[in-house]
Structure formats: C-alpha cells, structure tokens
Amino acid sequence: MTIHAAITGWGMSVPVNVVTNADIAKIVDTSDEWIQTRTGIRERHIVSGDETTSTLAAAAGRDAMQMAGVTAHDIDMVIVATFCPDRPLPATACRVQAQLGISRAAAFDIVAACSGFVYGLTIATSLIKSGMAKRILFCAADVVSHYVNWQDRNTCVLFGDGAGAVVLEATDQPYGLLSSVMGAAGDREELLMVEAGGTCMPMSTDVMAQGKHFLTMNGREVFKLAVRGMEESSLQALAQANMTLDDMKLVVPHQANRRIIEAIAERLNVPIERFFINVDRYGNTSAATIPIALTEAAASGALNPGDHVLLTAFGGGLTWGSAVVRWGRPTKE
Ligand code: UT7
C-alpha cells in the first residue's frame, strides 16, 4: 500500500498591528502610490508586545489542529520553517511544541527563506511516506520586521510578519503532495541576505553600526530570477505529477510582489484570476505567504477538498520550489 500525506487541517495567524503605506511614508521617502504601483502592497502586519515567530506559529498551528480534529497527543513531529527564529537556540519548533503541549513529538526547524513552505511540505510528506511519522504539525512563520532596516526604502516597504500551519496525516488515498521540485543557488547569496549575526560575522557594536544585521536585497536581479525560477520549477512540478495547468483549480504563488505574479501568469499563459493574490494585505511574509494564502483560499471557497493546486516559491539562498498538491482530507477512508 502506498502511503500519502493528506493536509487535513490548516490555519494562519498575523500580528494585531497593521502598518499602512501611509504609515511608512512618515518614516522614509516613499508614497502609497509608489508602493502600490511597484508592488501591489497596501498594508502589512507587524509584531508588537509579546508576539514572536513562535507565538504566531503556535496560533496558526492550534487552528490547524482543531480543524484536523487532532489533539496534542496525536502529533509525532513539529516542524517550523523560518529564517527568523525566536532565539538561535533552541529551535523555534521546540517553543511551538511547548506552547501547544505536544509533549511526545520530535521538533526541529528548517531554513529555506521564502521557499520554506514548499521545502517543509516536502520534508514532512517524506517523513510520513517513509513511515517515520503518522501525523505532523508543520508551521511556516517569519517575523521579517525583525531584520528590516526601517531607514531603507528599497526593502522596508516590502515585508510583513505572519504564520501559516498545516496538519499532515498518513492516508492510503492520493492526497497531499503529489510532486515537488526544489532547487538552490548558494553562490548567489549576496542577492538577498542578512550578513551578520551568525558565525561568519558575529554580532558586535561595529557590525550593528554598519547595519550588517539588516536584510539586504538586489531587488531588480531577484525579481528577474524569481520569475524565471518559479516559471521553470512550476512546469517541472506539473510534468512530474503528469498534469497540466488545466488540471489546477488554483495557483498559489509566493507573495512578494504583484508584478512578479503577473509576469509568471503571463509566461505560463494562465489568466491572473486563477492565481490567489493577497500580497496587498500582508506584504511579503517570507515562508508564511503560501500557507496564509492557502488558508484564505480555502475559507473563500476558491479551494476545496479534492482540488489540485500548484504552489510556487522563490527566495533567499537563493532557493526555489514548486509543488502540486491535492488539497484537503480524503472523502472516504
Ligand atoms: O521573497 C522573494 C524575494 N523578494 C522579491 O522577490 C522582491 C523582488 N524585487 C521586487 O519586488 C522589486 O524589484 C522592488 C519592489 C524591490 C523594486 O521595484 P523595481 O521596479 O525593480 O524598482 P527599482 O529597484 O528599479 O527602483 C526604481 C526606483 C529607484 O530610483 P532610481 O534609482 O531609478 O532613481 C529607487 O531608488 O525607485 C526607487 N525606490 C523607491 N521610491 C519610492 C525604491 N524603493 C522605493 C520606495 N519608494 N519605497
């Protein structure tokens, strides 16, 4: 019997605090008009008070578990995709595990920046297919605002904070991840990175004075590579699943910039209406964009159990990945 990993529950969580383009225009030389025209972003949620990567991930995870109808005792593993951990040690997944009381689970993080959801979904599915786990809580959460230089208009307008989560459960029906293509170009790290804070360049007052602890990006170059990387990996993932775009109910792309999504739609020759877009309300929440979009798509009826959906992402690393997923819980088991 072939084992599959169905997505039986999902959820999302964003910080309470909303920051509009007009708010940012009070800090740096920009305008609502520039941001909306160049990116499609209107507002984003930014953490305040006690909110952290793990609290957002745990809130999304709680909803996903409730929808799946599983208790803390049922979960074998907790995986968090993030490049914004609560602390360097322990893994943010351990803190999520503690907050949700998932006491008998293994817990670990993965880092693949904006491609984190596709990478993590692939890892979680493989663990279930191999028989190593029966039920996994997988969260993708980033508090990008922690790394944003609020004096740099090239980047500070683009990002937001948030989390999404899914519960994956073993099934003999062909549901969940049907194909996955992932890639990386580690020799292009300078295009999108946080240079300091690790062993290469430990944090110091000097390093901080130079702003090396902030996220930097070559926006124009990343834009081009993102369009190409998401187009190519999408076609590869479809071919691997033996399907075409006509079989997809929806395409859920990483939400970095509306113009990137429009360019991919044009290159794939798919009407933009078949793409789910919510970058206007959240900005780029890194690994969290896809599960937040999936949760909203499912809530709006744009995505229903049994539908096929194409996921595609691109981000720091550089990393990229695309996947074909059959959404939801099998109807008969
Ligand atoms: O998650 C994956 C990683 N991230 C991405 O995928 C993002 C990829 N890149 C992008 O989305 C776009 O490249 C940006 C939104 C970052 C920039 O848009 P662009 O159309 O590529 O603009 P640009 O970099 O070519 O800059 C155009 C001008 C520049 O002025 P000059 O040099 O032409 O005089 C910038 O200084 O716009 C200026 N500019 C701004 N002006 C007002 C840059 N940021 C701003 C701003 N407000 N916030």
Side-chain angles (χ1 to χ4, degrees):
M1 181 186 86
T2 311
I3 304 174
H4 301 271
I7 297 172
T8 59
W10 46 90
M12 61 173 276
S13 172
V14 290
V16 185
N17 183 32
V18 176
V19 175
T20 64
N21 292 345
D23 294 329
I24 297 186
K26 289 179 198 146
I27 312 170
V28 290
D29 181 16
T30 189
S31 65
D32 177 47
E33 202 259 328
W34 191 96
I35 301 170
Q36 287 214 41
T37 313
R38 296 297 182 112
T39 72
I41 299 167
R42 282 191 293 119
E43 59 191 33
R44 70 288 290 143
H45 293 244
I46 303 290
V47 289
S48 58
D50 295 337
E51 290 170 329
T52 68
T53 302
S54 73
T55 65
L56 296 174
R62 195 175 286 118
D63 284 356
M65 286 166 61
Q66 197 178 1
M67 179 183 289
V70 300
T71 66
H73 189 74
D74 299 324
I75 302 287
D76 301 317
M77 287 187 197
V78 179
I79 305 173
V80 174
T82 187
F83 83 94
C84 311
D86 278 17
R87 309 185 197 282
L89 186 71
T92 301
C94 294
R95 291 173 59 82
V96 171
Q97 179 212 22
Q99 285 165 44
L100 297 179
I102 306 176
S103 50
R104 62 172 199 86
F108 63 95
D109 290 357
I110 64 148
V111 184
C114 300
S115 311
F117 188 76
V118 173
Y119 270 62
L121 191 67
T122 308
I123 293 167
T125 299
S126 308
L127 286 163
I128 287 178
K129 279 180 169 284
S130 73
M132 295 292 287
K134 283 202 161 52
R135 290 188 191 84
I136 295 179
L137 174 64
F138 168 47
C139 309
D142 274 309
V143 173
V144 191
S145 64
H146 177 73
Y147 292 107
V148 162
N149 178 355
W150 290 99
Q151 306 302 316
D152 176 12
R153 69 174 186 176
N154 290 296
T155 51
C156 76
V157 302
L158 303 173
F159 297 97
D161 304 332
V166 291
V167 170
L168 294 143
E169 294 189 70
T171 173
D172 59 3
Q173 309 283 312
Y175 272 75
L177 190 79
L178 303 183
S179 73
S180 166
V181 171
M182 299 180 289
D187 56 348
R188 307 304 306 278
E189 67 167 3
E190 78 287 353
L191 293 178
L192 175 48
M193 72 170 168
V194 179
E195 198 174 1
T199 55
C200 257
M201 194 183 282
M203 204 66 95
S204 70
T205 44
D206 255 15
V207 156
M208 288 184 78
Q210 292 170 53
K212 301 274 192 192
H213 57 305
F214 290 131
L215 180 151
T216 55
M217 177 171 69
N218 178 336
R220 246 178 248 189
E221 197 55 27
V222 173
F223 189 114
K224 279 188 279 180
L225 294 172
V227 172
R228 197 188 311 151
M230 289 196 272
E231 182 208 2
E232 284 175 7
S233 59
S234 289
L235 293 173
Q236 288 162 2
L238 286 165
Q240 200 185 90
N242 211 8
M243 290 187 184
T244 69
L245 280 157
D246 290 341
D247 299 313
M248 299 299 115
K249 177 78 186 303
L250 200 62
V251 183
V252 174
H254 171 51
Q255 312 276 319
N257 183 328
R258 190 183 167 94
R259 284 163 51 222
I260 293 180
I261 299 172
E262 287 169 350
I264 297 168
E266 199 178 312
R267 288 170 78 132
L268 291 175
N269 201 18
V270 177
I272 193 74
E273 294 71 35
R274 302 248 317 274
F275 282 66
F276 193 85
I277 304 177
N278 62 5
V279 70
D280 52 322
R281 283 173 294 121
Y282 303 113
N284 180 350
T285 57
S286 187
T289 65
I290 290 179
I292 288 175
L294 285 169
T295 301
E296 290 200 331
S300 72
L303 186 60
N304 292 297
D307 287 342
H308 290 107
V309 55
L310 173 67
L311 314 180
T312 184
F314 190 95
L318 300 173
T319 57
W320 57 88
S322 294
V324 172
V325 167
R326 190 173 185 198
W327 186 247
R329 182 189 287 280
T331 42
K332 49 178 190 334
E333 273 187 293

